[in-house]
Amino acid sequence: MTTEVEMSRMSWTDYAEAIATRDPAVLIPVGSVEQHGPHLPLATDCLIPEAIAKAAARRTGAIVAPTISYGYKSVPRCGGGQHFCGTTSVDAATLIGQLRDIVRELARHKVTKVSFVVGHMENLWFVTEACDLALREVKMLGLEAPRLMNVGYWEFLSKPTIEKAFDGTFPDWSLEHAGIMETSIMLHCHPELVKMERLTEHGPATLPVYDLWPYDTAQVPDTGVLNTAKGASAAKGKLFYDEYVQSFSDALVDAFGKSPSIR
Ligand code: ZN
Ligand code: MN
């Protein structure tokens, strides 16, 4: 029996055996290719949920499917907007279609539990739509419908941890773009990809609560960072990461129940 948790590294026979004998949950990170300031890589929203999914899979016996790398578009008050070079987004219909197709394929494999692990806030409702459409299609095809979970990994951070790490200055998740949380986790998981010498000090961007098109790019800091990442550290990253992995693993057991796949 293989101990590999990444689907892309398993042979089809090892994967089929795991499905048939252990009934594992399949975890699918859903990220973006998006600017994250001058100090973080474009795949930040993929790398963080991937790291969390792999660690949770090692704890629970789940399998991690390849990441959906391209995500939905951002706006100034959430992600900074589409005007940055490097930000490479897909239309909602493209994202929904790809996710729906993958769920249908997993159902054909007789996977019974699937969890999307979203790393990019703008994807969340399109994942919800894909889950709804996939279940409808799977039932029409006469396949057994898997149980589906959709969660943004940041939801697993507790209030006390947020208070402690942000010292009472937490802006909110949409402004925490390329800020302290993402930068700290990247320092913990992928320090070679973080360029701390490029950080500038500034408070959270002041953006209206509404969206306008065409939008005013002058409202968005030129760096793409919506709140300074000064104060980010690998130690905070470990604190966040450990809590995410533990809470997500617990959620998998809560949602899917203890089974042979839950070690
Ligand atoms: Zn991000
Ligand atoms: Mn994002």
Side-chain angles (χ1 to χ4, degrees), residues 1-123:
M1 199 178 89
T2 179
T3 55
E4 179 60 58
V5 299
E6 287 180 69
M7 182 180 176
S8 59
R9 297 166 62 89
M10 300 168 83
S11 70
W12 84 265
T13 52
D14 287 339
Y15 172 75
E17 189 196 339
I19 305 294
T21 59
R22 303 194 283 112
D23 191 24
V26 173
L27 315 180
I28 310 176
V30 192
S32 69
V33 177
E34 178 186 47
Q35 71 80 16
H36 275 75
H39 66 293
L40 291 177
L42 289 160
T44 295
D45 288 352
C46 298
L47 293 167
I48 296 174
E50 251 168 43
I52 293 167
K54 282 183 207 168
R58 283 191 288 271
R59 283 190 191 196
T60 62
I63 290 173
V64 183
T67 299
I68 310 300
S69 303
Y70 296 92
Y72 185 66
K73 301 152 212 172
S74 75
V75 293
R77 66 192 178 92
C78 187
Q82 287 301 115
H83 55 294
F84 288 93
C85 185
T87 295
T88 313
S89 311
V90 296
D91 289 350
T94 309
L95 180 64
I96 293 167
Q98 187 180 18
L99 298 171
R100 184 202 56 210
D101 291 354
I102 292 165
V103 171
R104 185 194 59 237
E105 289 293 272
L106 294 178
R108 182 175 63 76
H109 306 161
K110 298 194 164 39
V111 170
T112 65
K113 310 160 214 169
V114 179
S115 177
F116 290 103
V117 194
V118 174
H120 173 70
M121 191 177 273
E122 293 83 345
N123 289 342

Side-chain angles (χ1 to χ4, degrees), residues 172-210:
D172 80 28
W173 284 128
S174 56
L175 287 175
E176 240 303 293
H177 177 79
I180 287 174
M181 192 278 284
E182 287 183 314
T183 304
S184 295
I185 293 212
M186 289 297 285
L187 282 170
H188 176 62
C189 296
H190 296 284
E192 74 286 1
L193 298 178
V194 185
K195 300 184 171 65
M196 289 296 276
E197 70 283 2
R198 295 186 181 173
L199 293 188
T200 50
E201 187 132 28
H202 59 86
T206 42
L207 291 157
V209 295
Y210 50 84

